[in-house]
Structure formats: structure tokens, C-alpha cells
Amino acid sequence: MFVPSLGFSLRENSVTSTVCCKRNQISVQPSQLRLGKFLVMNRRERTFTAIKPDAVHRGLVGEIISIFERKGYKLVGLKLVLPDRKLAENHYSELRDKPFFPDLVDFISSGPVVAMCWEGKDVVRTARKLLGATNPLESEPGTIRGRYGIDIGRNVVHSSDAVTTAEREIQLWFTEHELVDWDPAVARWVYE
Ligand SMILES: Nc1ncnc2c1ncn2[C@@H]1O[C@H](COP(=O)(O)OP(=O)(O)OP(=O)(O)O)[C@@H](O)[C@H]1O
């Protein structure tokens, strides 16, 4: 079995498992193999991140994508969307009762929005750290909102706040065919 993320093939026999590298073969115990599989699965976490209309208008798209790329995350979905009100309302449905909800829906559905799906270890929590606090006044200067935002209603980016939210939002914004599974050549330089 070839495991692209690991960069080598795994072949199992009844006693031990054999890892076949390019030049040599190393025998490993099944427990080590399980650990390897776990680590690969661990890198499969996905999040939904959106560059909001204010940032698109301000020409910050390339900059924001670069921050995620340079961190080491893998882009598996990307598209420019003009969200209709239904999509915007659905996306922020948990905030339906908030007084700012109508303005928020107006703003997001004014588009364009860059919808993205990023993949990697702990990507949901790390993406939120890269974004910074919701209110730019409270976000650290090194974060995206800390660097580029001033008002809470123009806070540049969104990213899912939990793994379950990410699953819901990815399904809401992307079809299965729009997500691309691929193996970056640099994976072994990003993960130990
Ligand atoms: N008090 C507020 N007044 C105006 N707008 C607000 C307020 N609180 C939140 N918002 C807007 O609603 C969005 C969603 O709020 P939420 O509480 O889900 O924060 P968040 O998860 O950090 O933001 P987002 O969902 O956009 O990533 C915020 O990004 C912000 O633009």
C-alpha cells in the first residue's frame, strides 16, 4: 500500500509489517504501524475559512491565502462566491437572534467571498489563532484581524470555531467534487 503523505509504501505480513523505502527495508512492529496511520489521519482535519467581502474589495486575498500556505496548511477547496441571502443566513444561523444579524447577512451576501477549505493537523484551532479575536480591537497585532481590521462588522475573515462546525460549513459551501485530495511534496518537511 502506498501512503503518499508518508512518502513510502507499507506492506504487511503475518508477523511484522515491512516499510519499504527507496533503498532499504525496515521491519516495524504493528504497533508502530498503527501509530503511523494515526499520525496521517491526524493531519486530515479540515476547516472552512472565508475571506469576507471587505477583504476582497481591499485586495487582501493573496496575503491571507499566503498566511495559511506559509503556516504549512494544505488548500483543498477554493472558490469565489456571491452568496445569496439564504446561504448567508444559513451560515450564521446560530446568530439569528442577535441585533446585528440583518446587517451581518447584508454584508456577507454583498460578496464576493473567497470560500476555502484548509486541511492539516489542528487546523480548526490554529486557523482561529491566525485570525485573532472577533473584535479587531481585542485581536493581537500579529493576527489577520489585528493587522487588517478596525471594526467588528468588517473583520476581514471567518474560520470555523469547532470541528463539528467545520463539517457543517464545508458541506454548506462546497460540494464533494469541489474538494481536492492531494499530497503536497513538502509534507515531510512540515510534519515530523
Ligand atoms: N457585537 C457585534 N456587533 C456587530 N457585529 C458583530 C458583533 N458580534 C459579532 N459580529 C459579527 O458577526 C460575526 C460572527 O460572530 P461570531 O460571534 O460567530 O464571531 P466569530 O466566530 O469570531 O466570527 P466569524 O463567524 O465571522 O468567524 C463576526 O465576525 C462579526 O463580524
Side-chain angles (χ1 to χ4, degrees), residues 143-159:
T143 62
I144 296 171
R145 285 164 171 167
R147 283 162 75 182
Y148 303 119
I150 295 175
D151 267 345
I152 194 167
R154 298 289 184 271
N155 62 359
V156 181
V157 265
H158 158 82
S159 201

Side-chain angles (χ1 to χ4, degrees), residues 52 91-92 95 100 104 128 131-134 145 152-155 157-159 161:
K52 296 183 182 183
H91 176 80
Y92 281 121
L95 301 174
F100 56 82
L104 181 59
R128 296 282 291 188
L131 262 59
T134 306
R145 285 164 171 167
I152 194 167
R154 298 289 184 271
N155 62 359
V157 265
H158 158 82
S159 201
D161 61 9

Side-chain angles (χ1 to χ4, degrees), residues 41-179:
M41 291 310 292
N42 206 17
R43 298 175 197 167
R44 299 285 184 191
E45 184 173 302
R46 287 181 173 181
T47 198
F48 173 73
T49 305
I51 303 177
K52 296 183 182 183
D54 52 334
V56 178
H57 280 281
R58 292 171 58 195
L60 296 173
V61 171
E63 191 109 7
I64 292 166
I65 291 176
S66 280
I67 290 169
F68 280 78
E69 278 186 323
R70 287 179 188 162
K71 178 72 179 167
Y73 286 125
K74 178 170 87 174
L75 188 60
V76 294
L78 174 71
K79 62 180 177 180
L80 192 65
V81 185
L82 278 174
D84 57 19
R85 293 191 65 81
K86 196 175 153 207
L87 176 57
E89 284 171 2
N90 216 334
H91 176 80
Y92 281 121
S93 57
E94 285 180 5
L95 301 174
R96 199 174 289 276
D97 297 331
K98 300 284 183 189
F100 56 82
F101 183 74
D103 285 347
L104 181 59
V105 169
D106 281 349
F107 168 58
I108 294 297
S109 60
S110 72
V113 166
V114 178
M116 300 177 288
C117 182
W118 290 95
E119 184 181 288
K121 186 181 171 195
D122 298 323
V123 68
V124 172
R125 275 190 302 158
T126 307
R128 296 282 291 188
K129 286 189 179 178
L130 293 174
L131 262 59
T134 306
N135 188 345
L137 180 64
E138 284 149 21
S139 40
E140 297 297 324
T143 62
I144 296 171
R145 285 164 171 167
R147 283 162 75 182
Y148 303 119
I150 295 175
D151 267 345
I152 194 167
R154 298 289 184 271
N155 62 359
V156 181
V157 265
H158 158 82
S159 201
S160 312
D161 61 9
V163 172
T164 48
T165 317
E167 284 165 6
R168 184 185 87 83
E169 292 178 351
I170 291 166
Q171 275 190 11
L172 184 64
W173 288 81
F174 288 99
T175 65
E176 207 178 307
H177 299 299
E178 289 173 324
L179 299 175

